[in-house]
């Protein structure tokens, strides 16, 4: 994005913009919609330089496009709602920006996002956790980690699969659950991170996520806990929390 932006765009604008987009969950937009909207926003900025004054319109139109693809008919954003959300904007401005985003992305709007992949991988926890409530908590923790991923510019270097697996591993850690059986199920489904060359990425992304988590919530850090993540041929193992030989 920084290589493309020549009109003054800086990463901290993106941080605030993504936080603003995530706040729309409070009015009913689902996590998959917001994740796709952020994906559309990032891909657009990676292909076209924009002015700061355009950022708010771009992000809200990105949410409108994502909602059309994912939300039910009664919940997707309409042009008039975008006009109401962005000051000094007309319906013509909205339609023009919508067309520009679509054309800039060559009509390739839909994409596999980190949230959709995380929810898919989370299904492999079925029967592994004590009760359905624990699975809900695990997904909530993972979504919280992915919200941080979405906001921080530095995480754009990681692919959606790396982000999603890292978020689930950190969620397992945060919930104090054993993740070994889940890792084995991933392998049984031919999701082998070593084979796809993702081992180091998951390790780095997970450690970065935990560092950020404990930076904001230092009181939750386990005394003397080591946060190294080992990726072996048998799956992903937390060496400080598992009594397993590597």
């Amino acid at each position: 994005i920084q290589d493309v932006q020549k009109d003054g765009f800086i990463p901290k604008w993106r941080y605030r913009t993504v936080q603003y987009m995530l706040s729309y969950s409070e009015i009913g937009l689902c996590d998959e919609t917001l994740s796709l909207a952020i994906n559309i926003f990032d891909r657009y900025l990676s292909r076209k330089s924009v002015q700061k004054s355009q950022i708010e319109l771009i992000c809200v139109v990105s949410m409108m496009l994502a909602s059309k693809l994912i939300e039910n008919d009664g919940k997707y954003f309409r042009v008039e709602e975008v006009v109401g959300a962005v000051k000094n904007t007309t319906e013509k401005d909205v339609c023009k920006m919508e067309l520009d985003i679509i054309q800039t992305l060559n009509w390739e709007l839909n994409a596999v996002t980190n949230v959709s992949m995380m929810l898919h991988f989370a299904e492999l926890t079925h029967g592994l956790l004590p009760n359905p409530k624990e699975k809900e908590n695990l997904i909530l923790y993972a979504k919280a980690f992915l919200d941080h991923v979405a906001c921080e510019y530095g995480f754009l270097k990681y692919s959606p699969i790396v982000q999603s697996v890292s978020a689930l591993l950190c969620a397992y850690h945060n919930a104090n659950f054993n993740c070994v059986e889940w890792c084995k199920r991933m392998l049984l489904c031919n999701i082998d991170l070593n084979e796809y060359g993702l081992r180091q990425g998951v390790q780095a992304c997970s450690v970065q996520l935990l560092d950020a988590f404990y930076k904001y919530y230092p009181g939750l850090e386990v005394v003397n806990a080591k946060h190294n993540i080992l990726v072996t041929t048998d799956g992903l193992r937390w060496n400080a929390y598992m009594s397993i030989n590597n």
Side-chain angles (χ1 to χ4, degrees):
I1 292 177
Q2 282 182 307
D3 292 339
V4 172
Q5 297 304 315
K6 305 298 182 184
D7 295 299
F9 177 87
I10 53 179
K12 73 176 182 180
W13 293 358
R14 183 188 175 279
Y15 180 87
R16 294 181 179 180
T17 301
V18 172
Q19 283 191 319
Y20 170 71
M21 295 170 81
L22 291 174
S23 72
Y24 272 76
S25 63
E26 298 175 4
I27 65 169
L29 290 184
C30 70
D31 294 297
E32 293 96 318
T33 297
L34 295 173
S35 182
L36 179 58
I38 294 167
N39 178 280
I40 290 171
F41 176 80
D42 283 336
R43 283 190 288 144
Y44 180 75
L45 263 59
S46 70
R47 299 186 187 187
K48 188 168 186 176
S49 185
V50 300
Q51 299 285 342
K52 183 178 180 179
S53 59
Q54 297 176 285
I55 295 293
E56 185 178 7
L57 178 60
I58 294 168
C59 83
V60 179
V61 172
S62 295
M63 286 190 285
M64 182 180 75
L65 287 167
S67 69
K68 287 181 178 181
L69 291 168
I70 295 177
E71 300 288 347
N72 296 326
D73 289 344
K75 294 182 69 175
Y76 71 79
F77 262 23
R78 290 171 172 79
V79 172
E80 56 270 23
E81 292 175 311
V82 177
V83 172
V86 183
K87 293 181 180 179
N88 303 318
T89 299
T90 65
E91 290 189 6
K92 183 178 179 181
D93 295 330
V94 174
C95 293
K96 183 178 178 181
M97 179 58 70
E98 181 181 26
L99 182 59
D100 189 46
I101 292 175
I102 291 172
Q103 291 178 335
T104 300
L105 299 184
N106 297 318
W107 292 80
E108 297 174 353
L109 296 179
N110 218 341
V112 176
T113 66
N114 54 16
V115 170
S116 62
M117 295 194 79
M118 181 276 291
L119 293 173
H120 178 69
F121 294 150
E123 288 303 308
L124 297 177
T125 63
H126 182 72
L128 297 180
L129 302 177
N131 56 65
K133 184 64 178 178
E134 301 294 353
K135 179 182 176 182
E136 291 178 17
N137 288 337
L138 185 75
I139 290 174
L140 284 174
Y141 289 141
K143 284 180 179 177
F145 280 112
L146 288 179
D147 282 350
H148 181 73
V149 166
C151 291
E152 293 291 345
Y153 185 81
F155 283 98
L156 286 176
K157 63 185 177 184
Y158 300 115
S159 66
I161 186 172
V162 167
Q163 295 173 0
S164 60
V165 172
S166 299
L168 276 168
L169 281 172
C170 291
Y172 264 104
H173 163 74
N174 195 49
N176 200 27
F177 293 144
N178 187 315
C179 67
V180 173
E181 291 304 317
W182 173 72
C183 293
K184 290 179 179 178
R185 287 188 179 183
M186 293 275 283
L187 288 172
L188 287 174
C189 293
N190 294 319
I191 306 170
D192 187 342
L193 301 180
N194 291 306
E195 181 179 343
Y196 294 112
L198 302 175
R199 173 177 178 266
Q200 291 183 337
V202 169
Q203 188 173 6
C205 185
S206 299
V207 171
Q208 196 173 339
L209 274 174
L210 281 181
D211 286 344
F213 177 77
Y214 287 120
K215 178 181 178 181
Y216 288 106
Y217 304 103
L220 297 179
E221 186 168 7
V222 180
V223 177
N224 296 327
K226 297 179 181 179
H227 299 145
N228 320 2
I229 300 165
L230 299 184
V231 184
T232 71
T233 55
D234 296 325
L236 297 160
R237 296 171 178 174
W238 295 90
N239 66 332
Y241 300 94
M242 307 294 176
S243 56
I244 297 177
N245 294 325
N246 291 324

